[in-house]
Amino acid sequence: MTLHGSRYRPGPLVWLGNIAATCLVLFFFQKILWLVVPFVLALIIHYLLAPLKLRLVLRGVSHDAAATWVSGLAFAAFALLATFGFPRLLGDLVNLHGTALRYVGGGLRLLADALSDLEGRFTFLADGSARQMLEVQLGSFFEHFAANYLPGIALGVAAWSPTLLLAPFLAFFMLRDGWRFRRLLLRAVPNAYFERSLYVLDAVDRTARQYFVGLLQLTVLDTLCLAVGLWIIGIDGALLLGLLAAVLAWVPFVGSVLGCVLVVLVAATDFPGQPGVAYAAIGLFVAVRLLDDFVFMPLTVGKSLNMHPLLTVLMIFVGGAVAGVPGLMLVLPVLGVIMVIGETAGLLLTDPRLRARHAHARALEQRRVWRDLTLD
Amino acid sequence: MRLRLREEKHRRDGQRLAGSELFGGLGERELRVVEAFAHERRFLAGEVVFDAGEEGQALYVIVAGRVAVHADSQATALAELGPGAFFGEMGLLDDVPRSAQVRAVEPSTLVVLPRTDFERLMASHARIASSISLQLARHLGRRLRAMLGDSA
């Protein structure tokens, strides 16, 4: 953005303000943790459907009618999918307890086998009876796991999952009333700052759209790569596993590890006594992670956030420290949006000409309202 | 009742652009499309709409009132524009800073079309794009003839 021909560069104060504002926003999100996932999903749905709505508006359909049509069609498509997929999903959920324990058992067997193998190679491990210790400790943990932890986890998931229903609801209103909100905001802006505000709103919208659409593209690419790799290795349900791991990767660091653990558990359980399959799955995960970080990410999500890699990594840690897992998920898009707002606010506040124009307009307004008022 | 009121508002909104030089060639349906992206701003007499040297983010159509175009801080106006006229288009077409200051001469109502929406309309609506391009070409032709006439 230029100001009277010269390019504006934010100073250290603006940068500090951006980082502080990001931490505050994350702190606020921490308090409404349950809203984060439906809100992120709603934003993704909104940015996916917005081009369709725009097409209808460009054909002369009103904003409201276009939003209703597009949301209706999307809901119908989802309902169709749910009708066919729900019975199977319900069946899987009923067996969740048994399935979870089976896969955890498979993972433990793999770990025990790996330790046995290591004990055979390194005598100090055999002397310390590492495998025996692990079996005792994990055995006692999982003996009480089903009774102590599983009901709590299941209850938590059951209580939290209805909030996902908020996602389509939020997405519909974002689609229907987003333009009204934009107009409302712009109407409140004084004339002197109007054009700059247009720029900010466009930039914020562009940053958020690129981020969330990029996230979706990244998920699709990750899913495809993982699914193809797992299918080649010979693991069943490769597409579903790939999708789950790709969605888990939305949470930086932690999500990727969880995804990897999930795939390794499945590989170890479905192929008992063949640790090579599990190791191949780990290798595949590392390869996809590298592809993700160095090829896919810069092509998709990275394009939206024009920031230094060091700052990106530091902010992920800060986000995690301030707001836990939601902080990890949200820190980058929040920082991206706040950077645009902060830089423009810096530009507006440090532009004496815009301030003078605003003061001039206020003086004109003052004179207009006082014109026919005289004191006797 | 509410629907009828909204339709009436749409019709009125379309009419305010129908009388403009830039959108005069558009049909009712296309005008509705343009209106979906337009904003209305009111300026007091003497208020600056934009300054020379700023990056242009929008083009303006005068619905009511008059504005004057000033070369950078010159008291004498280069031109005065009235209802139906438009300005600020060069900043969007050339992607260069504003070449002049525009100031309201009397209380004015302007319809503003933001840059992104203008570019979107030009890129994705063939009829609107061709009509706007034609009007812009005519407008620039008239301006060129006037300049040549002045220099002669």
Side-chain angles (χ1 to χ4, degrees), chain A residues 62-199:
Chain A
S62 71
H63 282 284
D64 287 359
T68 308
W69 270 103
V70 169
S71 304
L73 281 174
F75 181 74
F78 179 76
L80 208 67
L81 271 174
T83 309
F84 290 110
F86 191 68
R88 195 178 160 184
L89 187 72
L90 203 65
D92 288 348
L93 282 177
V94 168
N95 297 326
L96 183 68
H97 178 226
T99 314
L101 284 181
R102 192 162 69 87
Y103 282 123
V104 170
L108 286 178
R109 265 196 308 278
L110 175 73
L111 203 60
D113 290 347
L115 274 177
S116 285
D117 190 35
L118 286 172
E119 278 177 352
R121 288 164 199 260
F122 304 104
T123 47
F124 73 93
L125 281 176
D127 294 343
S129 48
R131 178 185 170 157
Q132 209 178 348
M133 277 169 59
L134 179 90
E135 275 178 350
V136 169
Q137 286 187 357
L138 286 180
S140 71
F141 175 74
F142 282 104
E143 201 177 326
H144 304 293
F145 177 77
N148 291 349
Y149 303 106
L150 214 54
I153 294 172
L155 206 67
V157 170
W160 169 80
S161 52
T163 61
L164 285 183
L165 294 175
L166 268 177
F169 187 70
L170 288 171
F172 170 69
F173 284 107
M174 284 177 187
L175 212 56
R176 200 191 72 169
D177 297 325
W179 69 281
R180 278 199 187 90
F181 181 63
R182 182 183 147 97
R183 279 201 180 173
L184 193 76
L185 278 180
L186 284 169
R187 213 174 294 151
V189 172
N191 285 336
Y193 301 115
F194 179 69
E195 285 205 21
R196 296 291 159 84
S197 307
L198 281 177
Y199 171 82

Side-chain angles (χ1 to χ4, degrees), chain A residues 1-5 54 57-64 179-180 182-183 186-192 194-196 198-199 202 205-206 209 353-354 357 360-361 364-366 368, chain B residues 6 10 29 32-33 35-39 41-58 60 97-98 101 103 112 114-117 120-121 124-125 128:
Chain A
M1 194 176 201
T2 56
L3 174 70
H4 299 292
L54 185 66
V57 172
L58 285 169
R59 283 173 181 268
V61 180
S62 71
H63 282 284
D64 287 359
W179 69 281
R180 278 199 187 90
R182 182 183 147 97
R183 279 201 180 173
L186 284 169
R187 213 174 294 151
V189 172
N191 285 336
F194 179 69
E195 285 205 21
R196 296 291 159 84
L198 281 177
Y199 171 82
D202 280 339
D205 186 47
R206 201 169 42 243
R209 188 178 60 239
R353 177 65 185 176
L354 289 184
R357 266 172 55 185
H360 177 239
L364 288 172
E365 176 67 13
Q366 193 84 348
R368 187 183 70 83
Chain B
R6 199 177 287 170
H10 272 296
R29 193 172 166 172
R32 250 202 333 261
V33 174
E35 267 299 335
F37 299 102
H39 301 259
R41 305 294 296 185
R42 289 166 200 275
F43 289 82
L44 295 165
E47 194 174 348
V48 174
V49 180
F50 58 70
D51 270 320
E54 278 182 2
E55 187 183 341
Q57 293 295 335
Y60 296 79
R98 303 281 196 202
Q101 184 198 63
R103 196 183 271 255
V112 189
R115 173 192 282 274
T116 36
D117 296 324
R120 187 179 289 145
L121 283 172
S124 52
H125 203 298
I128 292 177

Side-chain angles (χ1 to χ4, degrees), chain A residues 318-351:
Chain A
V318 171
V322 172
V325 174
L328 288 173
M329 274 175 82
L330 288 174
V331 68
L332 293 184
V334 168
L335 179 64
V337 168
I338 285 178
M339 263 166 58
V340 175
I341 297 173
E343 284 174 23
T344 313
L347 183 144
L348 293 179
L349 294 172
T350 54
D351 187 342

Side-chain angles (χ1 to χ4, degrees), chain A residues 252-264:
Chain A
F253 305 130
V254 183
S256 299
V257 173
L258 279 178
C260 184
V261 167
L262 183 77
V263 171
V264 170

Side-chain angles (χ1 to χ4, degrees), chain A residues 21-38:
Chain A
T22 306
C23 292
L24 272 178
V25 168
L26 289 178
F27 185 74
F28 176 68
F29 268 110
Q30 189 193 16
K31 299 284 173 198
I32 48 169
L33 168 75
W34 58 278
L35 255 181
V36 171
V37 174

